[in-house]
Amino acid sequence: MTQEPTPTTSRYLTPFNVVAGIVVVVGLIITVLRFTGGLSTVTHLSDDNPWGIWIGFDLLVGVALAAGGYVTSAAVYIFGMKRFHAAVRPAILTGFLGYALVVLALHYDVGRPWRLPYPFLVSQGTTSLLFEVAACVALYLTVLFIEFSPAAMEWLGLKRARGLVVRLTLLLTIFGVMLSTLHQSSLGALFLIAPAKLHPLWYSSYIPIYFFITSIIAGLSMVIFESGLSHKFFKDKMDEEHLAGKNVVMLGFGKAAAWVLAGYFFIKVIGIAADNQWHYLATGYGAWYLVELLGFVALPAFMYAVGVREKNTTIIRWTAAWTVLGIVVNRFNICLVAFNWYLPSDQRYFPHWMEIGISVFIVTIGVLAFRFIVTRMPILYAHPDYEAH
Amino acid sequence: MSISRRKFLGWMGAAGVVGATSETARAASNKQFKGYADSNAVLHDMTRCIGCRRCEAACNTVNELPAPERPFDDLKVLEKQRRTTAQAYTIVNQHFPDGSGRPPVFVKKQCNHCLEPACASACFVKAFTKTPEGAVIYNADVCVGCRYCMVACPFDVPAYEYHKALDPKIMKCTMCHPRILEGKLPGCVEACPTEALVYGKRDELIRVARDRIHTFPERYLDHIYGEHEMGGTSWLYLTGVPFASLGLREDLGNKAAGEFTSGALGAVPIVIGLWPVLLTGIYAINKRKEKIAAEEQAAAVASAVAQTRDEAEGRLKAAMEKAKQDEDAAVAREVKKALEEAAKARQDTGQTGSGDEGQA
Ligand code: SF4
Ligand code: SF4
Ligand code: SF4
C-alpha cells in the first residue's frame, strides 16, 4: 500500500477539532454555572448595565450577520439575478444557523427562558419594539427553516415533500424580506426609547433605518466572507457551478456593498447635520465615532470599489472581513460603548470572561453545525437528481 | 399585478406622510394618555429632608426585603452615591451642591411612577401596569427577564435579581400599592418624621407645591420636578438648588417614552402592507423581462431553425434534383450503353450469322 495508514483516531484529532472540543467543554461548564448560580456568577451585568455582550454580540451582531439569507434570496428570486444562484443555499444555511444560535443565546440571557413564548401566548406587549423583534425573529426562523429544508430533503431522499416546499420559494422569499426589514430595523429601534442613555452621536430617530441598511451591508459582506472560507475549506464539496460562481458572486456582491456603504455614509452624515451634532465630534466619543464612520464605513466602501474595479477578489475578501468587523464595532458602540456613556467609569460594563466564553461556545456550535451540514447535504453543489429552483 | 397606478401612488403618499410626521403615526398607533384623573402621588420636599434613612428602613420592613449589610441608622452609608437595587426599593443620597462646607441636600430615590411609564411601554409581556390609583406595578408571573424595562427606564430605577438562577424578578418600588388599596399610607411616607414626603392626589400636591414656591420664593426653585418630566410622574420633587446637581437629570425632556417609539411602531403596518406588493411587483417585472427575453430567444431560435430547415430543404431538393438528373443521365447512359452493346452484338452476329443465313 502506498497510501499512508490513517487510523480513525488521528482523523478526528485535527487542531480545529481539539480547539472546538475544548471550547465546547468549557461552554458546557459555564452553562451549568449559569443555570445554577444565576447571571451574577457568570456575567458582569448590573442594575446599571442590564445588557452585555450576549445582547450586543449574540443578538445584535448575530442577527445582522445572518442577513445574508434574505439579501441573497431576494437578489436571486425577486430581482431575478440568476447568476448568484450558487450563493443562495450557503447563505440560507448561514442565516438559519445564525438565527437558531441567536435564539439559543437568548436562553442564557433572559431570566426565565422557558417563558420566551409568553409574548405570543400569554400576554402581548404590543407597544414594545422588543415584541416586534421577538415576533419577527420567531417567524423568520421558521421561514429560514422551511427555505433550508429542501437541502435536507434531498439528502434524505424526500422527493415529494421537497417538490412542495420548492414551489413556495417566491412566497417564502417575500415573507422573509418583509420580516427581515421589520426586525432588522426594530433591533435598532429598541434604543429609541432611551434617548437619555445613548450618546447623541449614536442616538438618532433614523436608527431603525441605519440598522436596516447595515444589515444589507452585513449580509452582502458575510456572503463574500463565507464563500471565501468555504472555497478554502470545502473545495472538494463544490460543483462546477459553485466553483465558477465564486468570482461572479464576489464581484457582484462587492459592487453592491460598495454602493450601499457609500449611501449609508451619506445618510449618516446627513443624520449628524439634521440633528446638528457637529460639536460632539471634537470630544473623545466624537473621535471614536469618526473611527467608526471613516474606518469602517468610508474605507470599506472605497476598498470594495477598488476591488471590483481591479477584479481583485483578494481585496474584496479582506474588505468583506473588515466590513463584518465594522458591523461588530457599530453594534457594540450602540449597545455597550455609547450606552450609559455619562456614567462614571466604575459603573460601566466590561464583559466577564465567561460571557465571552459562552459567545465563543455558541459561534463554535454554529461552525460545527455548518461543517456537519455542508459535508452531507447538497449546499455547495447541486444534487444530481434534482432540478435547481 | 392588478393594482392601479393611482392606488399605488396613493399608498406611497400615505407611507411618505406617516413616515415624515411621527405624530400621524402616533395618532394611528397608540392613543395619547395623560394620566388617570384622580390618581395619587407623593411630594418629596428636599428642603425638609434630614437624611435620616427612616424611609429606607420602613420600605425594607413593609416590603419584607432582606436585611441590609449595614443598619439603617448608620449614616456613613450616605457618603457613597447609591442607586436602587434588588434589595432596596428606595435609597437616600447626599449631595453637596454648594461645596463641602455647606449643609448637604438629601434626595430620596425610588420609582417615580410615571404617568406614561417607559418600563410599561418597553415590556413585551405587559408586566407593568399604571394603576388608576397612581402606582406602576409589576407582575412577576409573566416576566421573561429580558431586562428591557431597565434599559428603557430614564430614571434608572428597576433592579434585577441577578443572583437567582431560575426565578429572577424585576425589583422596584410599588408605591406600596397593596397598602394604598387597604387605605394606608406608603411605608416611607408614614415613617418620614419631617413630612419631607407627603402623599395625596397628584393635582392637589401640585397645588401645594406651587403654594410653597410662591410663599417661600427664596427657599425653592420655581420648578416642580416630575410635573412634566418624561410626560409627568407621580412622584414630585421640590428643592432650592438645581436638580441636575442632585442627580435628577434635567435633560430628559417632557415627552413621554412612548412618543419616541411610536414612529417606528407606526411603520410596521406600512412595511407589512407595502413590501409584499412592491416585491411581487419587482418579481413580476423581472419575470416579464425574463419572459420577453425568453420569447425573443425562442423566436430567434425558431427563425434560425426555420431558416436552416429551409436551407436544408432547398439543398435537399437540389440534391434530389441533381440525383434525379444524375439518375436520368445514368439511366440514359446505361440505356445508351446497352443499346450500343446490343447493336454491336447484332453486328457481330450479323457478320457470322449472315453467312449461316445465306447458307440456310
Ligand atoms: S420610573 Fe422607571 S420604573 Fe418607575 S414607572 Fe417610570 S419608567 Fe417605570
Ligand atoms: S424584564 Fe420582565 S418586566 Fe422587564 S421588560 Fe422584560 S419581561 Fe418585561
Ligand atoms: S412607596 Fe413603598 S415601596 Fe416605594 S419607596 Fe416608599 S415604602 Fe418603598
Side-chain angles (χ1 to χ4, degrees):
Chain A
M1 288 272 280
T2 48
Q3 236 179 346
E4 264 184 76
T6 44
T8 40
T9 46
S10 80
R11 196 153 64 89
Y12 290 108
L13 270 181
T14 62
F16 172 80
N17 285 0
V18 172
V19 174
I22 295 171
V23 169
V24 169
V25 171
V26 173
L28 291 175
I29 295 171
I30 304 175
T31 305
V32 172
L33 289 175
R34 153 68 183 92
F35 287 104
T36 52
L39 286 176
S40 58
T41 17
V42 295
T43 73
H44 277 163
L45 295 175
S46 65
D47 291 330
D48 285 321
N49 303 290
W51 284 355
I53 60 165
W54 290 351
I55 297 295
F57 182 76
D58 298 33
L59 175 65
L60 296 186
V61 174
V63 166
L65 296 190
Y70 90 86
V71 171
T72 315
S73 55
V76 172
Y77 296 128
I78 296 179
F79 291 88
M81 303 179 183
K82 296 271 154 63
R83 61 188 184 283
F84 301 137
H85 187 264
V88 172
R89 276 201 177 173
I92 295 274
L93 174 62
T94 322
F96 170 58
L97 290 176
Y99 277 86
L101 295 172
V102 164
V103 174
L104 175 67
L106 288 179
H107 283 73
Y108 286 81
D109 190 76
V110 305
R112 311 193 202 202
W114 56 92
R115 286 186 178 175
L116 278 171
Y118 271 31
F120 320 117
L121 305 179
V122 177
S123 176
Q124 293 82 17
T126 47
T127 55
S128 172
L129 279 151
L130 194 61
F131 179 82
E132 194 190 323
V133 171
C136 293
V137 167
L139 285 172
Y140 189 45
L141 181 60
T142 317
V143 167
L144 278 170
F145 175 74
I146 304 175
E147 285 187 304
F148 158 74
S149 65
M153 291 169 177
E154 287 170 17
W155 180 53
L156 298 169
L158 303 171
K159 267 199 176 155
R160 281 265 299 271
R162 181 215 178 256
L164 285 178
V165 176
V166 163
R167 245 177 287 156
L168 295 176
T169 303
L170 178 66
L171 194 71
L172 289 171
T173 307
I174 290 178
F175 203 43
V177 174
M178 188 183 86
L179 292 170
S180 296
T181 312
L182 287 175
H183 73 263
Q184 294 284 2
S185 58
S186 37
L187 277 176
L190 285 181
F191 293 92
L192 283 178
I193 204 165
K197 296 190 180 178
L198 192 59
H199 190 283
L201 277 176
W202 280 274
Y203 186 89
S204 157
S205 46
Y206 297 123
I207 204 172
I209 298 170
Y210 294 161
F211 264 57
F212 176 61
I213 297 178
T214 44
S215 83
I216 298 175
I217 297 169
L220 293 168
S221 301
M222 264 311 269
V223 170
I224 298 174
F225 179 63
E226 183 205 293
S227 108
L229 290 182
S230 290
H231 274 263
K232 198 157 172 191
F233 296 108
F234 302 111
K235 201 163 185 172
D236 53 322
K237 298 285 168 208
M238 297 195 165
D239 64 7
E240 283 305 313
E241 192 198 352
H242 285 78
L243 288 171
K246 178 185 150 197
N247 285 356
V248 177
V249 169
M250 285 207 180
L251 293 175
F253 277 41
K255 191 168 167 188
W259 279 108
V260 183
L261 274 163
Y264 176 62
F265 178 82
F266 282 112
I267 66 161
K268 283 286 264 193
V269 174
I270 292 170
I272 303 178
D275 297 340
N276 200 11
Q277 249 126 31
W278 301 108
H279 58 287
Y280 284 108
L281 290 179
T283 64
Y285 275 99
W288 180 234
Y289 185 84
L290 286 177
V291 169
E292 183 191 323
L293 190 62
L294 299 177
F296 291 99
V297 180
L299 178 68
F302 178 70
M303 291 314 289
Y304 266 133
V306 170
V308 171
R309 210 189 136 109
E310 319 252 292
K311 299 211 186 325
N312 184 331
T313 53
T314 316
I315 295 183
I316 295 181
R317 251 202 338 261
W318 279 103
T319 310
W322 184 252
T323 312
V324 167
L325 183 66
I327 297 295
V328 179
V329 169
N330 172 256
R331 298 304 196 255
F332 272 29
N333 279 346
I334 286 164
C335 185
L336 309 171
V337 179
F339 192 81
N340 278 341
W341 61 286
Y342 55 91
L343 285 185
S345 57
D346 62 331
Q347 286 174 44
R348 298 298 304 276
Y349 161 86
F350 192 83
H352 192 285
W353 73 263
M354 288 204 257
E355 289 178 80
I356 302 173
I358 287 294
S359 291
V360 174
F361 167 65
I362 285 174
V363 171
T364 309
I365 295 181
V367 174
L368 291 175
F370 188 84
R371 187 178 68 169
F372 178 89
I373 293 172
V374 296
T375 48
R376 282 166 182 79
M377 300 180 197
I379 302 293
L380 300 173
Y381 59 94
H383 196 292
D385 297 353
Y386 298 88
E387 211 184 296
H389 61 98
Chain B
M1 291 289 298
S2 59
I3 34 162
S4 71
R5 185 180 147 82
R6 178 179 308 222
K7 216 174 189 177
F8 179 75
L9 288 178
W11 288 346
M12 290 299 277
V17 170
V18 180
T21 61
S22 58
E23 290 309 310
T24 326
R26 182 178 161 69
S29 64
N30 47 2
K31 59 180 187 340
Q32 185 86 17
F33 177 75
K34 268 287 156 233
Y36 290 102
D38 257 344
S39 75
N40 302 300
V42 175
L43 174 64
H44 177 35
D45 187 335
M46 289 178 249
T47 64
R48 298 185 178 192
C49 180
I50 54 169
C52 65
R53 299 186 68 211
R54 281 196 216 157
C55 53
E56 286 189 40
C59 179
N60 180 278
T61 315
V62 300
N63 291 297
E64 295 168 358
L65 296 171
E69 269 176 49
R70 288 158 77 178
F72 286 108
D73 52 15
D74 180 356
L75 298 184
K76 284 245 162 43
V77 171
L78 294 172
E79 281 163 13
K80 245 186 96 193
Q81 292 295 309
R82 294 174 298 155
R83 61 154 288 155
T84 51
T85 66
Q87 288 79 38
Y89 290 170
T90 186
I91 47 94
V92 176
N93 271 333
Q94 169 180 256
H95 293 272
F96 292 94
D98 305 320
S100 55
R102 316 276 307 181
V105 178
F106 300 99
V107 189
K108 177 182 178 297
K109 269 196 87 172
Q110 72 298 303
C111 172
N112 283 331
H113 301 278
C114 308
L115 300 183
E116 296 175 69
C119 55
S121 161
C123 179
F124 70 160
V125 288
K126 283 200 292 196
F128 293 98
T129 316
K130 175 77 179 173
T131 63
E133 292 80 23
V136 174
I137 52 168
Y138 160 76
N139 174 10
D141 290 340
V142 291
C143 173
V144 181
C146 67
R147 307 186 298 285
Y148 186 33
C149 48
M150 301 168 71
V151 168
C153 173
F155 301 107
D156 292 318
V157 168
Y160 187 70
E161 296 182 309
Y162 284 105
H163 57 285
K164 291 207 178 159
L166 297 174
D167 56 349
K169 293 189 296 291
I170 292 291
M171 302 291 273
K172 79 165 194 69
C173 156
T174 62
M175 209 176 175
C176 287
H177 190 60
R179 287 172 62 92
I180 291 177
L181 293 183
E182 288 171 22
K184 294 189 205 157
L185 282 176
C188 53
V189 173
E190 196 179 66
C192 181
T194 62
E195 286 189 14
L197 298 167
V198 203
Y199 174 83
K201 296 268 172 269
R202 187 170 185 269
D203 296 344
E204 223 170 279
L205 287 179
I206 288 177
R207 263 199 301 279
V208 170
R210 284 256 158 70
D211 256 13
R212 288 188 196 171
I213 294 171
H214 189 74
T215 324
F216 307 103
E218 71 294 339
R219 188 169 174 173
Y220 295 104
L221 289 179
D222 188 10
H223 180 179
I224 308 169
Y225 191 94
E227 187 182 3
H228 301 299
E229 273 75 11
M230 289 306 286
T233 63
S234 296
W235 212 283
L236 306 163
Y237 300 80
L238 274 186
T239 185
V241 294
F243 288 96
S245 65
L246 305 173
L248 289 162
R249 296 184 65 168
E250 291 187 276
D251 58 350
L252 299 176
N254 294 341
K255 272 213 256 174
E259 291 184 42
F260 295 107
T261 54
S262 55
L265 285 172
V268 175
I270 299 167
V271 172
I272 294 178
L274 215 54
W275 240 204
V277 180
L278 276 180
L279 295 175
T280 318
I282 295 171
Y283 170 78
I285 291 168
N286 280 310
K287 204 62 195 176
R288 192 164 156 67
K289 263 202 234 153
E290 268 171 38
K291 205 175 145 210
I292 291 173
E295 276 170 7
E296 279 172 357
Q297 203 181 357
V301 169
S303 80
V305 167
Q307 201 184 337
T308 352
R309 194 180 49 226
D310 285 353
E311 278 173 12
E313 268 174 9
R315 269 204 303 278
L316 190 66
K317 217 159 132 201
M320 293 272 276
E321 268 165 20
K322 189 160 177 283
K324 200 152 179 303
Q325 280 170 9
D326 286 355
E327 206 178 329
D328 290 350
V331 170
R333 231 179 5 252
E334 287 301 311
V335 170
K336 200 173 157 210
K337 213 159 111 195
L339 286 175
E340 275 171 7
E341 267 168 23
K344 199 167 166 237
R346 211 183 300 125
Q347 230 171 25
D348 291 348
T349 43
Q351 275 173 2
T352 49
S354 57
D356 291 347
E357 256 174 296
Q359 277 170 358

